Amino acid sequence: MYKHIFMSRRHALWLGFGTLASIGAFAKNKVMSGENQTQVLETVKRDFRVVGKASLKERAAAKGLIYGVAIRSHNLLSDQKLAALIAQECGMIVPEWELKWHVGNKPLRPQPDAFDFSVADRMVKFGRNHGMLVRGHTLVWHESLPPWFQETVNRQNAEQFLTQHIKTVVKRYAGKMHSWDVVNEAIEVDDGKPHGMRSTPWWELLGPNYIDLAFRVAADADPKALLVYNDYGLDYDTPQHEAKRTAVLKLLERLKSQGTPIHAFGTQAHLSADESRFHPRKLRKFFSDVADLGLKIIITEMDVKEQKLPADIQVRDRTIAAVYEDYLSTALDEPAVIAVLTWGLSDRYTWLSEFRPRPDRLPVRPLPFDAGMNRKLAWNAIARAFDTAPKR
Ligand code: XIL
């Protein structure tokens, strides 16, 4: 049985309309189809009122939570307004690129036998100089691998490359990192591999035990850091997300049962304003099941894509804000959730501009601050979720 049936006002509204619809009434702006509510577009009427002037950092901290952002070094170090806003609003930063194997023009791993920590060091220093926590992302991933990887790493030396990378990188920042995304996105049910494992170079070269190996090397290199398994596509009441939640849960259960030093689960929460199949109770149950394994939970990369919303900025901002508030009010009800990070702070710098642009080419609006560094309703929504969250 669920500890309590948690339902956001928005969901209750849906169910109310659902009842009306089941007797043939059509709610304004809604088309009901069968047992699945297909929401065409709800013009969100919530007022998103916020009390007081506290920052997101302060509102999170008041409940024993952490709010933070992912950021790229060239934006952080070149945009003073952004840097000041991050210092004001955030209790944590995570380098969006700089601790991956190879992103941008000054990669961490330029050569098989070389590491370049110059940029990552500056970001860790920025965080610590501003009293922020820093988290590392990500030690083992199938993306952002260096150009030399494929012709250099093979079955005979893969374990040595993996071990050396983790040991070198984690040791450098030992004692300074709040947490590390040790392994990122290892589950892909559609790959058809045992246990829903993604067919990554690491899986191909080392087999499924690469995950346990990575965590053990990281734990040895920094016994203080929280070690996290991070993944995405776990948010909605769809067959794909349900299958992935099941596979991820089973992976976490296997890791815990074999004594892998894993401390937390990271759910990326790249949400969609175009997806109406949000089911608070199912999401809440997933979080409870993860917490029941003795794991903490971090919402690691939250943002909201919105390709299909109309051009009207008011409608877009209200709808996006409701997505933030509904998801967070459900997620933060789980005491094991310790931190919320958005994947960026301002629409001026979001990966979604390139990764999920709108068909009408209007600038996307996924984050708490707009491109002019002004608060948006998404900021209010996150603030309200922290304000109503149970204290840890
Ligand atoms: C993304 C960055 O934001 C992009 O700039 C980069 O080009 C690709 O990677 N899940 C993750 C992140 O774990 O590392 C990804 O970050 C976004 C999806």
Side-chain angles (χ1 to χ4, degrees), residues 72 96-97 100 137 141 184-185 268 270 301 343 351:
R72 299 173 201 170
E96 184 177 346
W97 285 6
K100 293 172 178 173
H137 175 82
W141 193 26
N184 193 33
E185 304 181 358
Q268 295 181 13
H270 290 298
E301 307 184 13
W343 204 243
W351 74 303

Side-chain angles (χ1 to χ4, degrees), residues 100-366:
K100 293 172 178 173
W101 282 56
H102 193 287
V103 183
N105 56 14
K106 282 182 70 60
L108 181 65
R109 297 300 311 272
Q111 298 300 331
D113 57 355
F115 293 79
D116 179 354
F117 289 105
S118 56
V119 187
D121 285 354
R122 288 180 69 183
M123 295 189 77
V124 173
K125 188 176 174 200
F126 173 89
R128 293 173 65 80
N129 287 351
H130 289 84
M132 290 180 205
L133 297 167
V134 185
R135 69 183 315 265
H137 175 82
T138 174
L139 297 168
V140 184
W141 193 26
H142 59 285
E143 305 268 5
S144 303
L145 288 172
W148 50 261
F149 188 91
Q150 193 164 4
E151 76 259 12
T152 309
V153 184
N154 55 50
R155 275 191 172 54
Q156 288 68 43
N157 64 20
E159 181 168 335
Q160 189 271 333
F161 266 97
L162 184 67
T163 303
Q164 183 205 29
H165 180 82
I166 296 173
K167 199 175 284 184
T168 308
V169 176
V170 176
K171 271 192 188 308
R172 185 179 186 86
Y173 303 111
K176 297 178 182 174
M177 281 297 182
H178 167 269
S179 51
W180 273 103
D181 288 336
V182 176
V183 173
N184 193 33
E185 304 181 358
I187 295 291
E188 176 44 79
V189 176
D190 289 348
D191 280 2
K193 302 299 180 188
H195 306 302
M197 293 297 289
R198 184 188 295 271
S199 177
T200 72
W202 297 112
W203 186 84
E204 297 288 348
L205 290 165
L206 293 170
N209 288 336
Y210 80 92
I211 298 176
D212 177 72
L213 170 66
F215 275 91
R216 290 181 189 279
V217 175
D220 185 57
D222 184 355
K224 286 188 182 169
L226 276 178
L227 302 181
V228 184
Y229 172 73
N230 191 48
D231 217 328
Y232 71 94
L234 303 154
D235 315 302
Y236 292 108
D237 186 17
T238 65
Q240 299 78 8
H241 283 209
E242 184 60 35
K244 189 157 185 178
R245 286 191 291 268
T246 302
V248 164
L249 208 51
K250 285 188 165 37
L251 168 65
L252 296 175
E253 286 167 355
R254 285 198 304 279
L255 293 174
K256 288 296 285 182
S257 67
Q258 65 192 36
T260 302
I262 177 173
H263 312 117
F265 169 62
T267 185
Q268 295 181 13
H270 290 298
L271 304 179
S272 174
D274 310 328
E275 176 54 71
S276 61
R277 291 167 290 179
F278 175 67
H279 196 298
R281 277 179 293 150
K282 288 193 176 180
L283 183 71
R284 184 72 186 79
K285 174 72 168 59
F286 174 60
F287 275 42
S288 295
D289 290 345
V290 172
D292 287 349
L293 294 173
L295 295 172
K296 296 297 185 190
I297 299 170
I298 300 175
I299 297 168
T300 51
E301 307 184 13
M302 197 170 185
D303 53 20
V304 180
K305 53 183 177 290
E306 37 107 2
Q307 289 109 317
K308 296 178 191 158
L309 290 188
D312 181 297
I313 285 182
Q314 296 296 320
V315 171
R316 290 163 66 191
D317 282 0
R318 303 192 70 74
T319 306
I320 289 167
V323 172
Y324 272 107
E325 187 170 56
D326 289 352
Y327 183 92
L328 285 176
S329 52
T330 301
L332 295 179
D333 188 59
E334 170 50 62
V337 176
I338 59 171
V340 176
L341 294 100
T342 48
W343 204 243
L345 184 63
S346 158
D347 298 337
R348 187 182 294 179
Y349 308 110
T350 168
W351 74 303
L352 293 178
S353 299
E354 304 91 48
F355 190 74
R356 286 281 187 276
R358 286 175 54 95
D360 57 15
R361 312 306 296 171
L362 287 173
V364 292
R365 297 176 64 85

